[in-house]
Amino acid sequence: MIVISVLILHFPYSNILILSLLTFLPIVAKFLDVYDFVRNKKFIKLAQEKLSTYKPKIIAITGSNGKTTVKNILLQLLSTKYKAQASPSSYNTPLGLSKFINNELKSDTEVIILEYGARKSGDIKKLIEIFGADFGIITSIAPQHLETFKSIENIVKEKFELYYQLNENHCVLNIDNEFIKNEYLKNKKKNYFVSTKKHAKIYAKSIKIENFKTKFKIFINNSSYDIETNLLGRHNVTNILLASAMSLILEIPIENILETVPKLNLIPHRLEFIKSHINILDDSYNCSIASAKESLFVLEQTKGKKILITPGIIEGGISEYDLNFKLGTMCKNLDKIIIVGEHNKKALTDGLNSINFHKNKIVYASTLEDASTYYQNLSEEDTILFLNDLPDDYH
């Protein structure tokens, strides 16, 4: 606008030129939109053609959280028998997955693991129509992205698009999740279930956290095995069970699973343990109340002071205040909580006050950098949990 004002002041006829340009701007914008649409459609079609030529088995993973972790675990398990690939990082949209397939998919790949994300109704169905799915995993369902989904019922319906598209015994479900269990009971099909609470095809018991490792007993086909993993938390036991169940469907030997789980790689920013002059639990990719509960459980098992640094749960829609109030009520066993930013400050504080959390243990920081000044004088036994990261538009 400043440039336009200068032109009008200094060039007598420039206003005519500018009006002409402004008239054509919508046309230019529409042309660019059409160009992008055509280009993107061609890019996606190339990916479809490549999948059609190479013909790998496609495993689709969806859920409110745990997708990337399950994907990474499953890749390590399947790689003990197959030539397998998985979409990188959090690539879970038509263009992101097309980029991976077009640029990285190898001709001899036998199994490909794709993460199917959804921010609005119809996204999962679209991904299945584009890329297909031979097998599937539904990790969890939680009230996320409510700004676009509007209700938890819509989220359940969206995630179960995958379930309804698959044949019997081709889908693995986390039956501990109430939303998944209730939707399954409406339309039962033979499939694989995993649980840490009850008997299932694959289930786990006796879960405990010791020295920043998770130990548990895994039950497969009525046989039990003691196992240990670097992945922390009860939710990661569930993630291991989900990946193991899919591995059994694809005929990975039990021995391969038992040998691989103790060697699983830590996944960056997903309850990742980092040893510094203090103990750090980096869960900055966390964005759900269910995962937060599990992360806090791990923090509570540590020695020394227990400190939480968080901006709260972001993108909770109309439930955001309630979710962050609940998060505050879950912090009663901590020594300090540092609330970052203003966005969820009131909800978190109200939740803390409701459990009579001492005011001297609550610290407010405008940025993550400011928060760092409050934990300089800690001992090597003390632990900090970084829970969730603050998106750029919330700073």
Side-chain angles (χ1 to χ4, degrees), residues 199-363:
H199 287 263
K201 187 76 173 180
I202 299 181
Y203 66 100
K205 294 174 67 175
S206 305
I207 302 169
K208 56 185 178 182
I209 312 296
E210 288 183 359
N211 299 319
F212 295 99
K213 290 182 182 291
T214 304
K215 299 178 181 181
F216 61 99
K217 192 178 288 289
I218 187 171
F219 293 79
I220 303 175
N221 296 335
N222 297 318
S223 296
S224 66
Y225 310 88
D226 291 316
I227 206 158
E228 180 179 289
T229 178
N230 293 318
L231 303 184
L232 289 168
R234 295 173 297 195
H235 63 303
N236 271 324
V237 174
T238 298
N239 292 335
I240 289 168
L241 295 177
L242 289 165
S244 298
M246 181 55 67
S247 297
L248 291 175
I249 291 173
L250 292 173
E251 301 181 340
I252 297 293
I254 293 175
E255 294 75 18
N256 292 24
I257 295 172
L258 298 176
E259 289 175 8
T260 303
V261 169
K263 299 182 287 188
L264 290 171
N265 298 323
L266 290 170
I267 300 165
H269 313 301
R270 289 176 167 84
L271 205 53
E272 176 188 13
F273 171 60
I274 302 169
K275 183 61 182 175
S276 182
H277 67 284
I278 54 174
N279 301 309
I280 296 173
L281 295 172
D282 178 1
D283 203 23
S284 53
Y285 279 6
N286 187 330
C287 58
S288 80
I289 195 70
S291 293
K293 179 181 178 181
E294 296 303 321
S295 302
L296 288 168
F297 171 77
V298 172
L299 179 61
E300 289 172 359
Q301 310 310 306
T302 63
K303 300 175 182 178
K305 294 178 181 176
K306 303 163 180 55
I307 300 165
L308 171 65
I309 299 178
T310 183
I313 305 297
I314 306 297
E315 295 184 336
I318 59 174
S319 300
E320 192 164 82
Y321 176 89
D322 294 335
L323 290 170
N324 284 284
F325 182 95
K326 184 176 181 180
L327 178 58
T329 66
M330 293 158 53
C331 298
K332 62 181 180 180
N333 296 322
L334 305 188
D335 296 289
K336 188 182 290 290
I337 175 170
I338 301 175
I339 300 172
V340 182
E342 296 290 326
H343 192 72
N344 292 311
K345 178 179 176 179
K346 185 179 188 311
L348 287 166
T349 304
D350 289 349
L352 290 165
N353 289 339
S354 74
I355 58 169
N356 298 316
F357 195 82
H358 201 289
K359 291 182 179 180
N360 290 342
K361 294 181 178 181
I362 306 172
V363 173

Side-chain angles (χ1 to χ4, degrees), residues 44-272:
I44 290 170
K45 192 170 187 296
L46 285 172
Q48 290 176 307
E49 290 171 353
K50 197 169 184 180
L51 287 174
S52 179
T53 301
Y54 293 172
K55 294 181 171 55
K57 292 292 184 185
I58 298 170
I59 302 173
I61 301 177
T62 191
S64 297
N65 42 62
K67 296 184 294 295
T68 302
T69 300
V70 172
K71 178 182 66 179
N72 289 343
I73 296 170
L74 182 58
L75 177 62
Q76 293 175 72
L77 294 176
L78 293 181
S79 295
T80 64
K81 180 179 178 178
Y82 298 103
K83 291 181 179 178
Q85 284 186 267
S87 52
S89 186
S90 293
Y91 279 36
N92 56 24
T93 64
L95 286 179
L97 292 172
S98 293
K99 179 181 179 182
F100 160 66
I101 292 165
N102 288 331
N103 297 342
E104 299 182 39
L105 183 62
K106 299 174 183 176
S107 59
D108 60 349
T109 294
E110 298 169 286
V111 182
I112 183 173
I113 310 165
L114 301 180
E115 184 177 324
Y116 283 6
R119 293 186 68 90
K120 64 183 186 301
S121 296
D123 283 353
I124 298 296
K125 185 176 182 180
K126 182 178 181 182
L127 287 164
I128 295 170
E129 288 173 350
I130 293 172
F131 304 109
D134 299 301
F135 304 90
I137 299 174
I138 302 179
T139 60
S140 65
I141 295 176
Q144 279 182 258
H145 306 309
L146 286 170
E147 298 100 325
T148 50
F149 278 112
K150 306 303 181 186
S151 71
I152 186 66
E153 290 77 16
N154 288 337
I155 297 174
V156 172
K157 183 180 178 182
E158 181 67 17
K159 301 303 181 184
F160 264 76
E161 279 285 351
L162 178 61
Y163 172 82
Y164 292 122
Q165 293 288 334
L166 294 171
N167 295 327
E168 288 192 342
N169 291 321
H170 280 215
C171 191
V172 179
L173 302 174
N174 170 16
I175 209 68
D176 288 341
N177 184 279
E178 286 298 314
F179 297 113
I180 291 176
K181 183 180 75 174
N182 293 338
E183 184 66 18
Y184 163 73
L185 291 174
K186 295 177 185 177
N187 192 332
K188 295 180 181 179
K189 291 195 300 185
K190 279 188 177 181
N191 276 297
Y192 274 61
F193 308 108
V194 305
S195 176
T196 59
K197 299 176 181 176
K198 55 178 77 74
H199 287 263
K201 187 76 173 180
I202 299 181
Y203 66 100
K205 294 174 67 175
S206 305
I207 302 169
K208 56 185 178 182
I209 312 296
E210 288 183 359
N211 299 319
F212 295 99
K213 290 182 182 291
T214 304
K215 299 178 181 181
F216 61 99
K217 192 178 288 289
I218 187 171
F219 293 79
I220 303 175
N221 296 335
N222 297 318
S223 296
S224 66
Y225 310 88
D226 291 316
I227 206 158
E228 180 179 289
T229 178
N230 293 318
L231 303 184
L232 289 168
R234 295 173 297 195
H235 63 303
N236 271 324
V237 174
T238 298
N239 292 335
I240 289 168
L241 295 177
L242 289 165
S244 298
M246 181 55 67
S247 297
L248 291 175
I249 291 173
L250 292 173
E251 301 181 340
I252 297 293
I254 293 175
E255 294 75 18
N256 292 24
I257 295 172
L258 298 176
E259 289 175 8
T260 303
V261 169
K263 299 182 287 188
L264 290 171
N265 298 323
L266 290 170
I267 300 165
H269 313 301
R270 289 176 167 84
L271 205 53
E272 176 188 13

